[in-house]
Amino acid sequence: MFKEYDVIVVGAGHAGCEAAHAAAKMGNSVMLITMDMGRIGQMSCNPAMGGIAKGQILREIDALGGMSGIVSDLTTIQFRMLNRSKGPAMWSPRSQNDRWKFTEEWRLALERNQNVDVWQEMVSSLIIKNGKACGVKTGMGIEIHSKSVVLTNGTFLNGIIHIGEKQFSGGRTAEKSATGITEQLIQLGFEAGRMKTGTPPRIDGRSLNYNIMEEQKGDENPEKFSYLPSSKAVQNQRSCHITYTNSEVHEILKTGFEKSPMYSGRIKGLGPRYCPSVEDKVSRFADKDRHQIFVEPEGWNTVEVYVNGFSTSLPEDVQHKALSKIQGFENVKMFRPGYAIEYDFFPPTQLNSRLETKLIKNLFFAGQINGTTGYEEAAAQGLMAGINASLAVQEKEPFELLRSDAYIAVLIDDLINKGTDEPYRMFTSRAEYRIMLRQDNADIRLTKKGYDIGLAEQERMDLVTAKINGSDKIIEEIKEMKLPLDEINSFLRATENAEIREKTSFYQLLKRPQLQITDFKTINNDIKIYFENIAPDILEQVEIHAKYDSYIEKEQKVAESLKKIDFIKISPEFNYHKVHAISAEAKEKLSKMKPDTLGKASRISGINPSDISILMIHLNR
C-alpha cells in the first residue's frame, strides 16, 4: 500500500510540521502521520507566537530555512516588539495570530511540497530492526516503512484530561490520546516520566465589556518574523485587552481547591513553574491581591477569546463563577472550560545533540516528548530533528549548532546534558551569549549554515550577503564621516546631548546611549538623504554594532576560548571508571550520559571544572 519513505514524522503539531517541512525541502520523501488532518499545526494553547527568547528562536528557524516565521507572518493579527526599552539583546518579537488561519497556512505549506504525503491515523508502535528505526505500525495494523522516524507526539502519549473531579482520556479537548508507543519504548530500555500542562477557558467575546478594560494595541510600525521580503508585516491590527483578578475572584477559586486534581493529588506529572495555573498563583502568591489577565482575540473573524493568565483545571462551575467577578467579565459566557492535561515524556538525556535516541539509531524525538513546553521550542526541535533525520538518510555529516551560534543550540544542549524536571521553557537568561544571539542578526548567524545543508534557499543567501556587505560599508563610511565642530555641537544641543571639544566621527557619536542613528537626519538635508537611502535593517545593524561592539567582542572571545573543548571528541566506549582522579559522581553521570565531546561533558549537571581538567589531560595522552 505504501512505498518506503526516507522519513516518517509522527504527529503534526509545531514540531512535526517543521520536521516534515525541513526533511522534504532537503529532498527526502516524507510521510507525516496525524490523528486529525484538520488540526495540522494546531495552536493548542494561546493564539500567539514569539515572546521573550521565543521570538529569537522563531527568527532563527526562519534564518535556517524553516516555515514557522512565514506562517506566523501570514496569520498575524497584532505584532509587538517586547522589551524595546532595554538593550537589543532583550528585544523579542511577538505576534498575536489567527488560530484557524495558522492551521490552514501550515497545511497548505506542506501540501505544496510534492515530497510530503499525509496519513490520518494513530501510530501504535515502531518497527525496529537490528537496533534501528525502520518504520511504524498504525492502530489498524498497517505497516509503513522508512529509513528514519521522528516522534513528535505532543501531549497525546497516554494523555489524561482533568477538569475538577472529572478525568478522561485525551490528547487535547475532543481528541483521543495515543497509546502503545510509551509501553514499547519502555520495553526497549527507555526511561519515561509524566508531565502536565494546562489551558484556560475559551470565552464568548460578545459577553465582555471591553470599555472598562485596558486596551493593548500593537506597535505603530509593526515588524515581522521572516527575513524574506515576500513575507509582509501586518497592516491592520486587532487590539488585546488587560484586566485583573481580585480578592473576590481568589476566594471563589479557593472554594474549588478540594476538587482540584492538582491539590487532591490525582495529577502526578511535573508542571510548568513559569506558567502556573490561576489556582497555583492564588496559593503560591497569597500576598498578591490581584493577577494580570490578558484578553486575547483568537482571530480576525471570530468572537472567541483566549483568557491568558487564567489556566485552570478547577470544576467548570467554579471557573465560571470566578470569571464573572473579573472586571469586564460580569456577563461572561464560556465556550468551554479550562483543563489540565497529563502526558508521557522521555527525559531528553537519552538523546544525542542531533535529537537522535542513543538506544535506537535513526529514531528522533522532538517537542513535548522531550519535556519542553511552547510552540517555538517544539518547532525548533522539529526543525533540527527533521534536518538530522534527512542527513542520516543521505549518509551525510549531522547538523549541530554551538551555544554561541543560536538559542536553538542552548535549548538542545540544556535538554540533552542537563535534562529537565519541569516543562522546559526558553528564557534569554539561559543563553550566556545573548548579546551575540539577538533577534535582529539570526540571518547573519545562521542562513549560511542553512544554505550549506540545502534548507535555506539562494534568495536568503543573497539577502544576508547584501545585509552584511551593506552594514560593513556604512560602518566604514560613518567612521570617516565628520562635520565642523560648531555644526555638530548645534546638533547635539538640539538633541539635548553634551557638546564635544574636538571633531568626532558619526560612529563615535552613535556610541552615546541617548543618541539614535535616525537623529542624524536632522543635521542637514544631505545627511538626511544619505541615511534615508539606507535599508532599515542595515541601519539597525550599524547602530547596534556602534553601541555594543566592545561587549560583542568580549563575548566572542569567551565563546572562542570555550569552543576548543567542544571539538575534543570522546569515544562512546570511553571507560570513565579508569580515570581514578575524577569524582565518583562524574564517573557515574558520564558513563550514563556518554557525551561525545568534552564541551558537552562540562555542561552535565554535577560535573566539576576539575573533572573536566583531569579528563582533558587524560584524553590528550
Side-chain angles (χ1 to χ4, degrees):
M1 182 174 176
F2 294 104
K3 66 180 182 182
E4 182 186 40
Y5 288 88
D6 293 325
V7 182
I8 289 176
V9 178
V10 180
H14 297 262
C17 286
E18 281 291 359
H21 173 263
K25 195 175 177 184
M26 293 171 69
N28 299 276
S29 58
V30 177
M31 168 58 84
L32 177 63
I33 306 177
T34 174
M35 292 199 289
D36 187 347
M37 288 176 62
R39 300 200 185 211
I40 288 173
Q42 172 83 4
M43 302 180 100
S44 305
C45 202
N46 61 321
M49 295 294 284
I52 307 300
K54 294 167 175 280
Q56 283 87 329
I57 288 176
L58 273 186
R59 284 269 169 94
E60 291 176 350
I61 290 170
D62 185 75
L64 285 165
M67 196 68 198
S68 288
I70 294 171
V71 172
S72 297
D73 290 341
L74 286 167
T75 61
T76 295
I77 64 173
Q78 187 194 91
F79 190 96
R80 296 176 67 220
M81 185 66 76
L82 307 182
N83 287 338
R84 271 290 192 187
S85 61
K86 301 179 181 179
M90 302 299 289
W91 298 350
S92 301
R94 183 185 188 271
S95 65
Q96 203 71 31
N97 297 83
D98 186 312
R99 182 188 301 278
W100 293 272
K101 192 168 171 55
F102 192 94
T103 298
E104 179 186 32
E105 292 295 346
W106 248 124
R107 178 167 175 170
L108 291 173
L110 292 168
E111 288 180 354
R112 280 192 288 266
N113 193 314
Q114 295 296 319
N115 289 337
V116 179
D117 289 345
V118 181
W119 182 252
Q120 181 174 290
E121 200 186 342
M122 185 189 81
V123 169
S124 58
S125 63
L126 302 167
I127 301 171
I128 309 293
K129 293 180 181 177
N130 301 318
K132 185 176 179 179
C134 298
V136 299
K137 183 180 286 188
T138 72
M140 290 195 297
I142 298 170
E143 290 191 357
I144 308 174
H145 295 270
S146 65
K147 297 169 184 172
S148 64
V149 176
V150 182
L151 293 184
T152 69
N153 303 80
T155 59
F156 283 79
L157 291 179
N158 294 319
I160 297 176
I161 291 173
H162 298 264
I163 304 175
E165 294 179 306
K166 303 168 186 173
Q167 66 178 60
F168 43 92
S169 175
R172 227 169 9 210
T173 184
E175 293 182 79
K176 64 181 181 179
S177 60
T179 57
I181 290 177
T182 296
E183 295 73 15
Q184 181 190 18
L185 289 174
I186 289 173
Q187 287 182 349
L188 290 167
F190 285 86
E191 176 190 349
R194 295 285 279 177
M195 280 192 173
K196 74 176 180 74
T197 189
T199 193
R202 303 304 195 271
I203 301 302
D204 185 339
R206 296 170 298 184
S207 66
L208 303 182
N209 183 1
Y210 294 106
N211 294 324
I212 57 175
M213 302 182 200
E214 299 172 26
E215 186 178 12
Q216 187 181 53
K217 295 183 178 181
D219 289 347
E220 188 175 342
N221 297 302
E223 297 184 34
K224 60 194 182 76
F225 284 109
S226 180
Y227 291 96
L228 288 175
S230 56
S231 192
K232 304 298 183 183
V234 63
Q235 296 302 307
N236 302 309
Q237 301 185 67
R238 283 200 67 176
S239 290
C240 296
H241 290 80
I242 298 173
T243 185
Y244 299 87
T245 63
N246 52 58
S247 55
E248 189 176 7
V249 173
H250 298 176
E251 290 306 312
I252 293 170
L253 292 170
K254 288 176 185 176
T255 65
F257 279 9
E258 63 181 28
K259 295 181 179 179
S260 166
M262 180 174 65
Y263 290 95
S264 66
R266 285 196 306 280
I267 291 183
K268 304 296 183 185
L270 305 161
R273 180 161 46 109
Y274 301 106
C275 189
S277 64
V278 67
E279 55 263 39
D280 205 12
K281 285 190 272 191
V282 169
S283 175
R284 283 166 51 189
F285 307 106
D287 58 317
K288 303 283 186 184
D289 58 6
R290 70 176 193 171
H291 295 285
Q292 201 168 43
I293 300 293
F294 293 93
V295 184
E296 300 177 342
E298 298 253 338
W300 286 114
N301 303 308
T302 179
V303 297
E304 189 171 346
V305 167
Y306 181 88
V307 190
N308 196 339
F310 205 88
S311 175
T312 180
S313 58
L314 291 171
E316 59 271 27
D317 59 329
V318 176
Q319 293 184 36
H320 185 268
K321 189 176 180 182
L323 282 168
S324 69
K325 300 302 179 182
I326 295 174
Q327 188 174 29
F329 280 65
E330 291 81 3
N331 300 308
V332 67
K333 295 179 182 178
M334 286 199 307
F335 283 133
R336 65 174 172 83
Y339 62 87
I341 184 165
E342 194 176 9
Y343 56 93
D344 293 336
F345 85 105
F346 292 83
T349 51
Q350 300 171 100
L351 307 175
N352 59 32
S353 54
R354 300 179 290 281
L355 295 180
E356 181 185 32
T357 67
K358 295 174 182 177
L359 284 176
I360 305 296
K361 191 172 175 57
N362 285 9
L363 175 62
F364 299 81
F365 290 175
Q368 285 175 291
I369 192 173
N370 290 336
T372 62
T373 181
Y375 307 146
E376 303 81 5
E377 289 90 342
Q381 294 170 72
L383 179 79
M384 296 298 283
I387 288 170
N388 280 306
S390 170
L391 294 172
V393 167
Q394 296 171 13
E395 298 183 348
K396 293 180 179 178
E397 286 296 308
F399 182 69
E400 299 179 26
L401 297 170
L402 299 176
R403 292 179 73 94
S404 54
D405 291 329
Y407 272 91
I408 293 173
V410 175
L411 164 68
I412 293 172
D413 193 68
D414 280 355
L415 290 173
I416 66 170
N417 291 314
K418 299 175 183 176
T420 184
D421 55 6
E422 63 182 350
Y424 180 101
R425 180 180 178 182
M426 180 53 73
F427 294 100
T428 50
S429 58
R430 295 190 191 272
E432 59 270 45
Y433 306 115
R434 53 187 172 273
I435 299 178
M436 291 162 56
L437 308 183
R438 306 183 309 275
Q439 56 82 31
D440 61 271
N441 70 347
D443 54 343
I444 293 172
R445 291 183 278 118
L446 298 173
T447 294
K448 176 67 164 58
K449 296 178 185 293
Y451 178 77
D452 288 343
I453 59 171
L455 185 59
E457 48 272 85
Q458 184 66 50
E459 181 187 8
R460 289 186 181 275
M461 197 62 232
D462 293 342
L463 286 166
V464 76
T465 301
K467 182 177 177 179
I468 293 168
N469 293 340
S471 57
D472 287 347
K473 177 177 177 287
I474 301 303
I475 287 169
E476 291 308 311
E477 288 179 356
I478 67 170
K479 281 181 177 179
E480 300 300 322
M481 196 179 290
K482 297 178 183 179
L483 285 177
L485 198 59
D486 59 341
E487 197 169 349
I488 284 293
N489 280 330
S490 174
F491 159 69
L492 291 174
R493 285 193 298 273
T495 54
E496 299 181 351
N497 276 272
E499 296 181 32
I500 56 176
R501 295 182 178 179
E502 58 184 36
K503 276 189 175 183
T504 303
S505 72
F506 280 23
Y507 187 80
Q508 287 301 317
L509 287 172
L510 195 52
K511 288 182 178 291
R512 296 187 176 194
Q514 64 273 34
L515 196 60
Q516 308 302 313
I517 200 165
T518 52
D519 294 334
F520 290 146
K521 296 178 184 180
T522 63
I523 295 175
N524 61 47
N525 197 52
D526 289 340
I527 292 171
K528 179 183 178 182
I529 292 170
Y530 172 82
F531 282 108
E532 283 183 345
N533 286 328
I534 301 170
D537 60 336
I538 291 177
L539 280 180
E540 184 177 60
Q541 290 303 303
V542 171
E543 182 160 350
I544 291 170
H545 189 278
K547 284 182 165 57
Y548 296 92
D549 60 348
S550 60
Y551 300 101
I552 294 168
E553 187 179 350
K554 284 178 184 176
E555 272 198 3
Q556 286 173 336
K557 285 180 179 177
V558 172
E560 286 300 321
S561 65
L562 293 176
K563 194 181 289 185
K564 295 173 185 176
I565 64 171
D566 271 307
F567 292 103
I568 298 176
K569 298 287 185 182
I570 304 176
S571 167
E573 284 79 37
F574 186 86
N575 188 346
Y576 295 96
H577 293 283
K578 288 187 176 180
V579 187
H580 301 297
I582 64 173
S583 67
E585 183 181 7
K587 290 175 185 175
E588 180 184 345
K589 288 189 172 180
L590 291 166
S591 297
K592 180 183 178 181
M593 303 279 287
K594 297 186 185 302
D596 55 7
T597 71
L598 194 60
K600 290 169 188 171
S602 72
R603 294 186 289 273
I604 294 172
S605 178
I607 306 300
N608 298 316
S610 58
D611 296 322
I612 297 302
S613 297
I614 293 163
L615 274 175
M616 185 183 290
I617 293 168
H618 194 91
L619 289 166
N620 285 337
R621 286 176 183 169

